[in-house]
Amino acid sequence: MIMAENELLAFRECWKQELTHKIKEDSSSNVTGQTSREDSKLKRYFEDFGQNRSLLKIRHDAALQGRIKGGNEAVLSAGKPQKEDKPEYVSIAEGLLDGRTSPLLERMQEERSRRKRQYHSLTNACSTSLQQQPQRKINKGDKLVDQFIQDLNETNDIPFFDIELPYELALKIFQYLSRKELGRCAQVSKAWGVLAEDEVLWFKMCQKEGFHSSASVSDSPCWKSTLRDCRRSENAVRSNWKNRVGSISQLQYELGKVLCDVSSCCGYVVAGYTSGDVRLWDTLHWDSAASFLRPSPAMVDVTPRPHVSHVSVNDGVAAAAYDDGCVDVWSTETGQEPVHHFQVPGRVQTLSLSSDSPTLATAAGLDVRLDQPDDRGYWRTLCQATLPKPVGRLWSQVESMVLVPGSGGRRGDSGPLVALSAGETVYLLAPEYQEPRVLHTVYGHPVTCLDASASRAALGVKSSGWAMNDGGNKIQVYSLDTGQSEVSVGNAAGDFSCINLRDSPAHLLVCGNKDRRVRVFDLRSGSSVISLYAHHMGVTSVQADDWKIVSGGGEGLVCVWEMRMGAKLWEMHNRHPVRHVRFNASTLVTANIPDEKSPRGACITDDDLTAHRRHRGVICHYDFSEDSISQDHVLPICRSNYVESSGYNYNIGLAVPYDILSGSHPSH
């Protein structure tokens, strides 16, 4: 940019002082005779070219008419001192002013030529004004400063520095920058600051980091502030997780029956009991009016009602299977009456709901059935299949089953994909398959657990006999697209009891084993990332995210671990084995389900079959969000940190209602 007038005057004065100071230093450092000779040289060098009007006019006319450089130098040689008579700093300054060190020398020369031709018509007027001016001495330093300032201005006027990108193209480039890089770019100039503050950029960055994934650009007036608030809230929730600060609620069933199964998803928690009742909680709104789910009319008059064997829930529907083979499906939005009911021969061994679609899979024995509503909401059976009976076994059944998440969208109109295990074999079943396809089978090595993500299936394989010398029990990971084995991890002596591949971070797999350890594997390298001695009665359930692991054991402990350090943050204890663990960013749902479903009463001689509180099982809902913190009635010792030895064993830091504290606390 063009230098301001005040800055120009200050720059000239500064240069004059530097030149004068240098002359004085050179004069004082030399002997007297040498000083007089140098003074005479500098005096001759800085002689005013205006004293010789004819020579100055010749120089001016030659420069304006674009004469060749050699001829120009010949004309000027009479008034210039010899090269060896020039001080060193003057030669350097002239080199800078002549552009010998500039990479844009050619363009600068073209710009000078253009300006000289533009002012060619004013040559006579300039000559006349020079003749009319009184004779005065002009310092060579003044001419150097004027030339240097002119060159700086000309350099800034070159079109190369005035190129501007279209706003849309610049925005396209800026979208690849991170938050820190956008902040740095905003400090470059006003134009870049406008680009770095664009709402579309911060909206996309907010969605990229997992916040407001279903929002639109117009939903917030300032997405940069929204992202900052979301990150602050996320950091506060993470701190509450680590320090065990939040609220806890026990989802109790008042009729005193035993808990049979629990499932949770998207803020919904569904539980089935030995009384045949199914209850649904909406933890986001706590709508108690819709908590009880009524059975189908065909089961209302049945006495006694069969136990609930399996339950499952997602964002849209909840399902429950009973011991007599009946299956009910409810909508979580429209009401308490079942929207679908059917019965299968025999007892339902496993039941699974898709996490992203209302697709239900049930298995009784070796019979598998898939049900899904059509576009009008009417439920229909997509397919039914019977698995082949294993050779050499009198009886077999489906032991675990998983609906592959996102399989409907990934596979187009072909329908959902189901992975299920029976004995030593893992099958894949889809509506377009003529019969179930075998994904894995090894004779004599039964599958102990199974889980699947959108593109992979992981299964724990039990080793026995001679195979124990080959590293012990392993986890096999298969690609669902190709059906080929990708990696084999693990060398545990105990059986793998639970696997979580669906909710784990990318390229990671977390699993639990009966040898009391929780392990995390990196599927890219096939190596173990972390191994934790967690539960002395074996691991029954586990889940992990990018920084923590939550595990449940057969002894009733729920443990929260910091993954990077491999340290236990805190634990909670209940009487029965932990059969369900599910958490999201701010909430945790755990369920301790008894193994004994028909206990006696409080007294051994009592004929009342109503289960005592300690036999029923418990469902705990933890909320670590900063808005739900209320610790006014919690004792100070319960809020102490881990540094204080007196508060280590009592640091629950969880606010619970008074009626729960007065009864049976989950830590008892």
Side-chain angles (χ1 to χ4, degrees), residues 338-364:
V339 296
H340 184 49
H341 171 80
F342 64 91
Q343 187 170 5
V344 297
R347 185 176 184 272
V348 176
Q349 301 296 333
T350 180
L351 177 146
S352 178
L353 265 175
S354 175
S355 60
D356 49 13
S357 65
T359 305
L360 175 66
T362 55

Side-chain angles (χ1 to χ4, degrees), residues 28 50 157 206 208 228 240 256 305 363 394 425 454 551 584 643:
S28 61
D157 289 340
C206 192
K208 190 193 317 183
R228 181 175 58 250
N240 292 344
R305 293 173 60 186
L394 297 178
T425 309
S551 62
N584 56 21
V643 179

Side-chain angles (χ1 to χ4, degrees), residues 526-604:
S527 60
S528 175
V529 176
I530 190 172
S531 178
L532 305 170
Y533 185 86
H535 305 275
H536 66 272
M537 292 186 66
V539 185
T540 56
S541 56
V542 68
Q543 185 182 345
D545 62 6
D546 57 345
W547 70 271
K548 66 179 178 293
I549 304 171
V550 180
S551 62
E555 74 286 347
L557 274 178
V558 175
C559 300
V560 180
W561 309 82
E562 209 281 340
M563 184 182 298
R564 184 176 63 89
M565 301 297 295
K568 184 187 294 186
L569 298 176
W570 52 271
E571 65 182 25
M572 294 293 287
H573 179 264
N574 277 282
R575 182 181 298 272
H576 303 287
V578 181
R579 301 296 181 186
H580 178 78
V581 167
R582 183 84 176 188
F583 68 82
N584 56 21
S586 60
T587 62
L588 168 65
V589 177
T590 63
N592 296 73
I593 301 175
D595 292 329
E596 180 61 44
K597 298 298 190 295
S598 300
R600 299 289 293 180
C603 180
I604 194 171

Side-chain angles (χ1 to χ4, degrees), residues 248 633-634 652 654-666 668:
I248 177 175
H633 58 279
V634 179
I652 57 173
L654 296 168
V656 296
Y658 177 77
D659 57 345
I660 297 179
L661 281 174
S662 61
S664 176
H665 194 272
H668 293 168

Side-chain angles (χ1 to χ4, degrees), residues 172-238:
K172 192 76 173 177
I173 298 174
F174 272 49
Q175 72 179 357
Y176 297 101
L177 302 180
S178 63
R179 290 181 289 106
K180 185 181 295 186
E181 292 169 343
L182 281 178
R184 291 173 179 173
C185 291
Q187 303 176 24
V188 174
S189 63
K190 291 183 178 179
W192 282 37
V194 172
L195 282 170
E197 297 291 335
D198 191 89
E199 291 298 321
V200 177
L201 288 178
W202 290 101
F203 167 70
K204 292 182 178 179
M205 186 171 297
C206 192
Q207 289 190 325
K208 190 193 317 183
E209 296 194 14
F211 305 113
H212 303 286
S213 56
S214 59
S216 60
V217 183
S218 59
D219 291 343
S220 175
C222 182
W223 280 104
K224 183 178 180 180
S225 301
T226 302
L227 178 60
R228 181 175 58 250
D229 296 341
C230 290
R231 290 189 61 86
R232 287 177 178 174
S233 177
E234 182 184 33
N235 293 334
V237 171
R238 177 174 295 192

Side-chain angles (χ1 to χ4, degrees), residues 209-286:
E209 296 194 14
F211 305 113
H212 303 286
S213 56
S214 59
S216 60
V217 183
S218 59
D219 291 343
S220 175
C222 182
W223 280 104
K224 183 178 180 180
S225 301
T226 302
L227 178 60
R228 181 175 58 250
D229 296 341
C230 290
R231 290 189 61 86
R232 287 177 178 174
S233 177
E234 182 184 33
N235 293 334
V237 171
R238 177 174 295 192
S239 177
N240 292 344
W241 266 98
K242 293 182 178 181
N243 298 309
R244 194 162 36 177
V245 175
S247 64
I248 177 175
S249 303
Q250 288 189 3
L251 309 183
Q252 293 229 336
Y253 183 62
E254 302 300 334
L255 297 182
K257 296 300 181 181
V258 179
L259 184 64
C260 293
D261 195 21
V262 175
S263 177
S264 63
C265 181
C266 302
Y268 293 103
V269 181
V270 63
Y273 297 86
T274 54
S275 61
D277 293 329
V278 180
R279 184 166 182 176
L280 177 70
W281 291 272
D282 184 359
T283 60
L284 298 179
H285 306 93
W286 295 106

Side-chain angles (χ1 to χ4, degrees), residues 7 23 42 53 57 71 80 87 152 328 359 441 546 552 582 586 611:
E7 296 179 358
I23 293 171
L42 290 173
R53 294 182 182 179
K57 190 174 186 307
K80 282 188 179 182
L152 288 178
D328 286 334
T359 305
T441 181
D546 57 345
R582 183 84 176 188
S586 60

Side-chain angles (χ1 to χ4, degrees), residues 58 98 190 245 270 290 322 377 389 417 440 533 572 607:
I58 293 173
D98 291 339
K190 291 183 178 179
V245 175
V270 63
Y322 302 89
K389 185 177 180 180
L417 179 65
H440 165 87
Y533 185 86
M572 294 293 287
D607 292 334

